[in-house]
Amino acid sequence: MEETFSKQESLKIIEQMIKTAKNEHREKGEGWLLWGWLLFIASTLSAVLVQVRLSGYIGWVWTAMGLLTFISFLWELRAKKTQAVKTYVEELLEKFSTGFLISLFAIIAATSIAANVNKDDSGQSIAFAFGYFFILYAFWMYIHGSAIRFKPLIIGAIVNWAAAIAIFIVKDFKYAMIISAVAVAVGYLIPGYMLRNLYKKSHKS
Amino acid sequence: MEFKELDPILHAPLRLAVISLLLSVKEAEFTFIKEKTNSTAGNLSVQISKLKEAEYIEVTKQFRDNYPLTICKITPRGVDAFENYVKALQSYMHPGEL
């Protein structure tokens, strides 16, 4: 026999379920933290290597960074496959994420070509590439922050746009790396930890 | 004063909960729905079958790591039915407004 219930109860169920689904797509912030720490360490290490005149090793740092990024991307894909629920926002952000990575690798490829063509100017070409990276990061953060209505990511986006302009102004690779580390800390790490705390709080209650 | 008839398929607590939940997401696994609606697997299976028969939801069966997986997704027909159900509810709550 069917269970009967009142119209008020119907509305309560609808409201409860929509609220449950809405809370479900809260992010853990892991992706931001992983990317943030990878970029922060690579940028800081690059600035230190320039300072101690071991610039020759910088290529290794960024190759390792590229490899770890690729592995983390595969790991994230795998984690997403095992999610019990998928929201429309998540689906859209996944597409943006793929577009972002393709654009990132396109800039890396273009920079390598430019650095090989203008060998005398390779340091400046690479510093400029970081400026373009940060424009792209900022755009990605702005879209992501707006989609999940998370202000710290939008603030991070503004900081990253400012960092891009600063990198174009300073031109010097070492300072570009210092700016990069600061921008990553504000744009990735702080919002990442905030998201993680919010996620923990929401899953405790 | 006109009262619209409430869709009997949706006017059942668990089926309404499932449809409301699926309306807000793209797709959800059976285990997720079971957890969020606080229902038993048996009862949920029966209600999901009824929603599927009415073509309000699509049910896909898959395998992940050798375990069976049931994924549910609301259909356009389910969305229409839900909208009509809410309109009918409103006609009871605020008679004369619709």
Side-chain angles (χ1 to χ4, degrees):
Chain A
M1 211 176 91
E2 292 283 348
E3 194 186 332
T4 53
F5 69 133
S6 71
K7 278 103 196 156
Q8 277 79 7
E9 281 171 318
S10 297
L11 282 177
K12 211 174 161 192
I13 288 176
I14 296 170
E15 201 184 310
Q16 265 177 358
M17 287 300 116
I18 291 177
K19 211 172 156 190
T20 302
K22 221 169 141 188
N23 286 335
E24 200 49 39
H25 74 256
R26 186 156 281 168
E27 291 186 23
K28 291 181 193 171
E30 284 173 347
W32 296 104
L33 289 175
L34 185 71
W35 269 74
W37 277 113
L38 281 175
L39 276 170
F40 184 80
I41 292 167
S43 303
T44 313
L45 206 58
S46 300
V48 171
L49 286 172
V50 174
Q51 184 64 31
V52 298
R53 296 175 192 280
L54 288 170
S55 308
Y57 292 100
I58 291 172
W60 288 100
V61 172
W62 289 97
T63 306
M65 160 77 195
L67 273 173
L68 287 169
T69 302
F70 187 67
I71 293 167
S72 72
F73 180 66
L74 293 180
W75 176 74
E76 265 188 53
L77 272 184
R78 159 105 191 131
K80 284 211 167 94
K81 266 190 187 167
T82 55
Q83 269 182 339
V85 62
K86 194 177 205 178
T87 64
Y88 292 103
V89 169
E90 277 171 341
E91 198 196 21
L92 188 67
L93 288 177
E94 257 179 55
K95 301 237 185 287
F96 263 112
S97 168
T98 311
F100 166 76
L101 274 174
I102 295 169
S103 306
L104 196 68
F105 282 109
I107 295 179
I108 293 170
T111 310
S112 307
I113 295 164
N116 276 328
V117 171
N118 305 310
K119 283 206 162 73
D120 301 337
D121 199 21
S122 62
Q124 197 170 316
S125 298
I126 293 167
F128 271 2
F130 275 89
Y132 294 119
F133 289 160
F134 279 98
I135 291 173
L136 202 61
Y137 291 151
F139 180 66
W140 165 236
M141 267 179 227
Y142 181 74
I143 297 288
H144 203 112
S146 305
I148 64 169
R149 292 183 202 148
F150 190 60
K151 227 177 177 176
L153 272 178
I154 297 172
I155 296 169
I158 296 165
V159 171
N160 274 258
W161 270 314
I165 295 166
I167 287 170
F168 287 125
I169 294 169
V170 299
K171 292 174 194 155
D172 181 87
F173 183 72
K174 186 177 84 181
Y175 292 111
M177 289 298 95
I178 294 168
I179 294 167
S180 165
V182 174
V184 162
V186 179
Y188 280 64
L189 294 177
I190 295 175
Y193 281 111
M194 287 171 88
L195 275 172
R196 197 168 74 164
N197 286 343
L198 280 173
Y199 180 85
K200 275 185 184 167
K201 263 188 204 165
S202 74
H203 281 71
K204 252 184 205 169
S205 54
Chain B
M1 198 184 298
E2 190 197 333
F3 290 112
K4 294 185 177 181
E5 201 186 325
L6 288 172
D7 183 342
I9 295 171
L10 291 184
H11 197 59
L14 187 50
R15 289 200 293 268
L16 182 63
V18 171
I19 283 287
S20 307
L21 195 61
L22 289 178
L23 192 79
S24 322
V25 298
K26 189 177 171 270
E27 57 188 32
E29 279 178 24
F30 182 87
T31 46
F32 173 84
I33 303 171
K34 182 174 153 275
E35 183 199 327
K36 299 298 171 190
T37 56
N38 277 324
S39 54
T40 60
N43 191 14
L44 184 60
S45 283
V46 173
Q47 305 311 328
I48 280 182
S49 297
K50 286 188 182 174
L51 288 169
K52 193 187 161 197
E53 272 168 32
E55 292 176 13
Y56 286 1
I57 63 167
E58 256 175 47
V59 180
T60 325
K61 305 238 183 221
Q62 292 177 2
F63 277 92
R64 184 194 293 152
D65 300 328
N66 293 325
Y67 286 98
L69 199 70
T70 305
I71 296 169
C72 303
K73 192 177 174 180
I74 195 165
T75 62
R77 193 175 174 159
V79 175
D80 287 345
F82 182 80
E83 277 174 4
N84 289 333
Y85 180 81
V86 172
K87 275 183 196 159
L89 268 186
Q90 283 171 339
S91 74
Y92 284 93
M93 302 290 171
H94 313 286
E97 276 184 25
L98 291 169

